[in-house]
Amino acid sequence: MNPLAGIGGAVGALGRRALAGIARLGRATLFIARLVPSLGGAWKRARLIVQQLYMTGVLTFVIILVSGAFVGMILALQGYNTLVRYDAQSSLGLLVALALTRELGPVLTALLFAGRAGSALTAEIGLMKATEQLAGMEMMAVDPLLRVVAPRFWAGWIAVPLLAMIFTAVGIIGAYVVAVAVLGLDGGVFWSQMQAGVSVTNDVIGGLIKSVVFGFVISWIAVFEGYDAKPTSEGVSRATTRTVVSSSLAVLGLDFIMTAFMLRGL
Amino acid sequence: MQTKGTELAVGLFIVAGLLALTMLALKVGHFHVLGRGQTYQVTADFGNIGSLKPRAPVTAAGVRVGEVRHIALNPRSYRAVVTLRLLKRYRFPRDSSAAIDTAGLLGEQYVSLSPGGSRRYLKNGGKIRVTQSAIILEQVISQLLYKKAGHG
Amino acid sequence: MGRRGQEEAHGVDREPLITVRDVAFSRDGRAIFHDLDLTVMPGRVTVVMGGSGAGKTTLLSLIGGRLVPDAGEIRVAGENVPALSRRQLFALRRRMGMLFQSSALLTDLDVYENVAFPMREHTRLPERLIRDLVLMKLELVGLRGARRLYPAELSGGMARRVALARAIALDPLMVMYDEPFTGLDPISMGVIVKLIRDLNDALGMTSIIVTHDVAEACSIADDIYLLDNGRVSAHGTPAEMQKTTEPAVRQFMAGLPDGPVAFHYPARDYLADLQSAGHA
């Protein structure tokens, strides 16, 4: 084999993949542009949104509770271990609360949501496409964007910020339990240091804004990948994987950008 | 259909989310007032601000009364111009002084205000004339050492 | 909704319900139809036959407005389908029923709710009336007793009957059937054949069926169209089709493996191919 030809082939393949990725981004943008007009109408049948909130939000609830508590407890142990060297263990509550409200709450919730609910959303819509349910709806003069996609999109978008707040709150409570019960810190100091250092307008609202953005992006990717999936079992399983990978990368990338903006001062 | 149970579960979920947000707002953090209506800005020039950062607290008699809004260097005088944002409900005499202090030996730096005796008060856009720069620990120590060396 | 269809069905000069004129359509650069002409008369069962890949399902998608032709005209009940706005198209589709090969039942709803689905989406009927209508449609297909089952619990034949009940939920002008006989056991097949015919006659509907099952098609059709190479190669009544001397039609109707439609995919000479071993 000619090594140059091999390299040329690899470059060509890379170029094709890049082009396919850009085309996918274009399709996703066109898709959301088509979806937006349906979003308002979806509230006329709020029951569908409630049903989807149950499927996505409530079923992710337990994972979020458990993960939030563990992350908070781990943060407390690790933070204490470092802070105690500088005799600054009284700042433990502040450290944990800042880490959770600004970063870990929104980001970890988004990643967990993408894995648990986002992938399920994609698989469900993809299977509906593969079994001609979406085509069937269209032939019954029912718009699948309005009936199927919009309620799921809304539910995801609403669920993520709520879950992120729950994750953060549970994490702080978990850290408090470890700090007081295991590490023997004073509970009052834990809370008062935290309150003095955490700003609602900057830190809590900042985290909330992040999770609203994450919720939008994950829901968008999940419903798009489902709708765009090749209508075969292999196509659906590929789409499901793509949802988890793309939404995780999107969450981390957007987090970096938003953090840079927020730290520069609101 | 199990609609009733679904609705109840979703309702509880939303309540839990809002409760969590309320806890974060009331128990975890403090509101610091950002609204322009409730604050006014004054400036103070310092020879050296040490490691003072924007959003550092401004206190009077140990009570938080505002925050550092903005820090810049005056290109003529080469002094640091610190813009402070103070809560409207606290008024300070025009001859008040500002100092940059450190919380504890190595803690964060903040601006502390000491009220003067004037009957007229600082207004929005006003300037604090009397200032005391940050104490840089290393300089204090080296001065101390040189003095000792000089005496010895 | 149904009234206009009835008037047309009993009209004096019997306007066709569907006319397809000079339609060309290609997908991914591959021409599927060119100069396609086809007419469906109201009240009749029209069967479109053709081999696998002849574009039978594509034809239904074109009539239903899910695909837009490159050229030509498709009229359904007087409306030019490719030129309709989305709103007009949806209004037209409420008067069309379609039965998909995979039944396309909504898997998260039970049989009852599947049949009620178009009514709930398009009407504001009170719950009692919806119940009466759903039970009536299910009774027509013989599945009133299965109304609380979910699609996953149904056999292929039952699922197709539920889908049929759903397709006629809003008393459409016409029902399109995509391969309704495929993958069914003989009894289910017989049931479907009888149902299509009975519903067509009893409800005054028009039926258009695409299939490759010759025997069932002949037993049910009023008119048969045979698709080959992207156009209509023959059409007529079942009797005419079976009497024809046209070799390609005879080959299809009799199911002969070789004839004008060759058994072999085009290739070079077999002997030459064998001798050039190693250079494949």
Side-chain angles (χ1 to χ4, degrees), chain A residues 54 194-196 198 200-202, chain B residues 25-30 32 55:
Chain A
Y54 179 76
M194 186 193 303
Q195 269 188 344
V198 177
V200 171
T201 37
N202 288 331
Chain B
L26 297 183
K27 188 98 175 106
V28 171
H30 64 267
H32 72 174
R55 306 220 316 246

Side-chain angles (χ1 to χ4, degrees), chain A residues 52 121-137 144 147-149 152 226-227 231 236, chain C residues 102 104-109 117:
Chain A
Q52 290 308 318
L121 264 182
T122 304
E124 196 192 4
I125 295 178
L127 276 176
M128 289 182 84
K129 186 179 183 184
T131 53
E132 291 184 310
Q133 293 183 52
L134 297 184
M137 278 191 192
R147 182 64 173 66
V148 174
V149 176
R152 286 167 172 76
Y227 205 76
V236 173
Chain C
S102 63
L105 294 176
L106 303 174
T107 40
D108 55 341
L109 301 178
F117 181 80

Side-chain angles (χ1 to χ4, degrees), chain A residues 178-195:
Chain A
V178 168
V180 173
V182 180
L183 303 170
L185 295 183
D186 179 61
V189 172
F190 183 90
W191 288 113
S192 66
Q193 283 274 330
M194 186 193 303
Q195 269 188 344

Side-chain angles (χ1 to χ4, degrees), chain A residues 47 50 53-54 57-58 61 97 102 159 162-163 165-166 168-169 172-173 191 194-202 204, chain B residues 1 3 5-7 9-10 13-14 16-18 20-21 23-32 34 55 64 69:
Chain A
R47 167 187 289 232
V50 169
L53 260 177
Y54 179 76
V58 177
F61 190 74
R102 284 185 186 170
L162 289 171
L163 290 168
M165 293 302 111
I166 293 169
T168 307
I172 289 171
I173 293 170
W191 288 113
M194 186 193 303
Q195 269 188 344
V198 177
S199 146
V200 171
T201 37
N202 288 331
V204 177
Chain B
M1 285 200 272
T3 331
T6 311
E7 282 169 7
V10 172
F13 167 56
I14 290 177
L18 295 179
L21 180 60
M23 172 193 151
L24 294 182
L26 297 183
K27 188 98 175 106
V28 171
H30 64 267
F31 282 97
H32 72 174
L34 267 181
R55 306 220 316 246
R64 191 179 170 121
R69 173 72 179 148

Side-chain angles (χ1 to χ4, degrees), chain A residues 34-35 37-45 48-49 137 142-152 154 227, chain C residues 86 90 121:
Chain A
R34 272 175 59 206
L35 179 61
S38 311
L39 287 182
W43 283 100
K44 277 187 209 147
R45 272 170 304 177
L48 291 175
I49 298 177
M137 278 191 192
V142 174
D143 186 352
L145 284 181
L146 186 66
R147 182 64 173 66
V148 174
V149 176
R152 286 167 172 76
W154 271 118
Y227 205 76
Chain C
R86 192 167 171 79
F90 271 31
E121 290 294 320

